[in-house]
Amino acid sequence: MKKKIALITGGYSGEAVISYKSAITIENNVDKDKWDCYKIDINPNGWFYMGTEKAIVDKNDFSITLDGKKIVFDAVLVGLHGTPGEDGKLQGYFDCLNIPYTSCNAATSALTFNKRYTVAVAAFAGIDVAKSIHLFKKITVTPAAILKEIQLPVFVKPNNGGSSIGMSKVNKAEDLQVALDKAFKEDEQVLVEEFIKGREFTIGVFKSKGEVIALPITEVISKKEFFDFEAKYEGASEEITPAKIPSEITNRIQDAAKKAYTVFNCNGVVRIDFILNEANEKPYMLEINTVPGQSEASIVPQQVKAMGWSLKEFYSALIEECFI
Ligand SMILES: Nc1ncnc2c1ncn2[C@@H]1O[C@H](COP(=O)(O)OP(=O)(O)O)[C@@H](O)[C@H]1O
Ligand SMILES: [Mg+2]
C-alpha cells in the first residue's frame, strides 16, 4: 500500500500567501505512483484537509476522516513558511505524535528561526558572519550606543522575521532610530548587523540517503538597495542559476553551506543566504531558511532543475529520508 503523506501549508504569518504557492508546486510534483498526498491547510481559523471533500483535522492524532474512514499519516511534507511550520512548533507536535516530517527538527527549526542565534552558532563553528548586536524591546539601547559597537552602514532586521518585512538598510546615524522602531513593530527582538559589501548568493542544501548535497548556487542581483520584499516577490531582482563564478568560489560557498547544514543538524531542504565579502572573497552567512520558497519561480526548484533532477525525484528523495 502507498504511504500517506500530509502536505502542510498556510500558517499564521504574512508568509502564508507564499506557503500556498509553494504547496501548489510541491503537490503537482509529488510522485502519485509512490505516495498518496493530502494537502492540509493550517491557518488561524483551523486545520483543514483541502481535497474535493473538506475535513477538519483531529489535532489529537493529526488525522482526518473521509467518507467515514479515518486517515492517519505516515509522514508530513512541510510546505509552510513562517510560524508554526518553520519555527519548530509543529515539529514538536509531530514529534509528540511520532510522525516523521521532511523538515529540520524542532530545536534546529527554532534556533534558525532566530537570525541572531543562527549567526552566533555559525560563528562558533568557524563560519564567517557579519558583526551584529541583538536588541530586546524591553531594554532600550540608543543609536549612539549601537554605533559604538558596530559601524555604518548597518542592516536592521526583526530577529524572527522573514521575507525582508520590517527590515532597513541604514547609511546615516540619524536614520537608525526610525529603522529600529520599524523593526520593533514586527518583533520583540531586533538584530542590527554590519553591512557586508559584495555579491549575494543563495544555495539550497538537502540530504539524500545520508549524503549532504549542495545544489547549484544562485546569484541574486537586486534592482533595489537590497533583496527586499519587492525584489523577492515582485520581480525587482534577477536570479542567475547556476551563478557565474569561478569554481574555486563555488567550492567555497558550497563547502560553507554544507558545513552549516551539518553543524545545525539540518534535515530536508534548506536554503542558506551568503554575501561573498569583496574585501576577502569569503562567503559570509546571513541566515538559514529551513522551509525555503518552492513556488515554480522560487530559487530551490530552479536549483533542483539546474542540477538535472526533476522536482518529482527531488520530493521523493525528501520523503524517503523520513523512512530511513
Ligand atoms: N549584513 C548584511 N550585509 C549585506 N546585505 C544584507 C545583510 N543582511 C541582509 N542583507 C540583505 O537583505 C536581504 C534580506 O536579509 P536576510 O537576513 O536574508 O532576511 P530575510 O530574507 O529573512 O528577510 C538579504 O538577501 C540581503 O540582500
Ligand atoms: Mg534571506
Side-chain angles (χ1 to χ4, degrees):
M1 226 180 43
K2 282 189 271 182
K3 288 204 162 73
K4 293 184 172 55
I5 309 298
L7 164 60
I8 57 165
T9 185
Y12 302 161
S13 78
E15 289 190 89
V17 281
I18 322 285
S19 300
Y20 294 123
K21 289 188 184 163
S22 291
I24 291 171
T25 315
I26 300 172
E27 190 180 30
N28 287 342
N29 290 288
V30 166
D31 191 341
K32 314 291 183 308
D33 294 332
K34 284 190 173 163
W35 323 99
D36 277 331
C37 183
Y38 297 76
K39 188 151 79 176
I40 307 281
D41 181 10
I42 291 181
N43 72 57
N45 298 318
W47 299 11
F48 308 98
Y49 166 61
M50 305 283 290
T52 38
E53 188 184 339
K54 295 267 173 300
I56 294 175
V57 174
D58 181 349
K59 292 181 185 167
N60 288 306
D61 55 2
F62 198 63
S63 68
I64 53 173
T65 300
L66 295 179
D67 288 331
K69 219 179 122 223
K70 183 177 165 119
I71 294 171
V72 290
F73 299 106
D74 297 296
V76 175
L77 184 47
V78 182
L80 195 166
H81 312 298
T83 192
E86 193 168 359
D87 58 356
K89 294 193 171 97
L90 284 176
Q91 285 77 7
Y93 163 77
F94 293 128
D95 285 343
C96 292
L97 295 176
N98 248 324
I99 305 176
Y101 42 84
T102 56
S103 73
C104 296
N105 68 23
T108 297
S109 301
L111 176 71
T112 53
F113 206 66
N114 185 310
K115 289 184 202 287
R116 166 66 178 211
Y117 294 157
T118 304
V119 292
V121 171
F124 210 88
I127 296 164
D128 289 300
V129 299
K131 203 171 166 194
S132 63
I133 285 190
H134 191 186
L135 302 174
F136 298 85
K137 202 173 204 165
K138 287 192 189 124
I139 307 166
T140 306
V141 179
T142 62
I146 294 168
L147 295 176
K148 255 193 201 140
E149 303 288 327
I150 58 174
Q151 281 180 1
L152 287 166
V154 294
F155 265 86
V156 180
K157 315 179 184 183
N159 204 23
N160 299 299
S163 303
S164 306
I165 297 160
M167 188 180 292
S168 315
K169 182 181 172 201
V170 176
N171 297 307
K172 295 183 295 213
E174 59 265 37
D175 297 335
L176 185 51
Q177 189 59 55
V178 174
L180 292 171
D181 294 343
K182 185 174 160 192
F184 273 124
K185 268 203 190 111
E186 302 295 327
D187 201 334
E188 302 280 303
Q189 295 181 26
V190 163
L191 178 64
V192 186
E193 195 172 82
E194 278 186 357
F195 173 73
I196 305 292
K197 195 158 184 279
R199 291 164 73 181
E200 177 163 358
F201 299 95
T202 190
I203 172 170
V205 187
F206 71 109
K207 201 160 50 179
S208 181
K209 301 189 175 84
E211 191 195 345
V212 176
I213 302 168
L215 289 165
I217 301 165
T218 298
E219 178 168 15
V220 176
I221 303 169
S222 179
K223 295 184 188 122
K224 304 288 299 289
E225 201 178 8
F226 63 95
F227 197 34
D228 65 5
F229 190 86
E230 242 178 274
K232 279 190 174 127
Y233 302 115
E234 288 158 18
S237 75
E238 205 184 327
E239 289 153 9
I240 300 162
T241 312
K244 296 190 180 75
I245 41 174
S247 58
E248 195 194 321
I249 302 289
T250 301
N251 292 342
R252 231 175 263 173
I253 297 171
Q254 287 186 330
D255 287 350
K258 285 199 279 188
K259 182 172 182 179
Y261 191 97
T262 307
V263 164
F264 283 87
N265 187 31
C266 292
N267 275 313
V269 63
V270 308
R271 210 196 68 235
I272 310 180
D273 296 341
F274 288 98
I275 306 277
L276 185 70
N277 192 339
E278 61 178 41
N280 58 11
E281 297 238 296
K282 283 186 181 170
Y284 278 54
M285 195 184 95
L286 294 181
E287 62 157 352
I288 302 179
N289 300 286
T290 60
V291 186
Q294 275 153 89
S295 72
E296 211 57 62
S298 292
I299 288 167
V300 163
Q302 291 178 40
Q303 294 180 344
V304 169
K305 289 174 202 162
M307 181 174 66
W309 281 34
S310 69
L311 290 178
K312 223 182 209 180
E313 288 171 285
F314 181 66
Y315 291 117
S316 281
L318 295 186
I319 296 167
E320 271 152 18
E321 282 300 294
C322 291
F323 304 116
I324 57 171

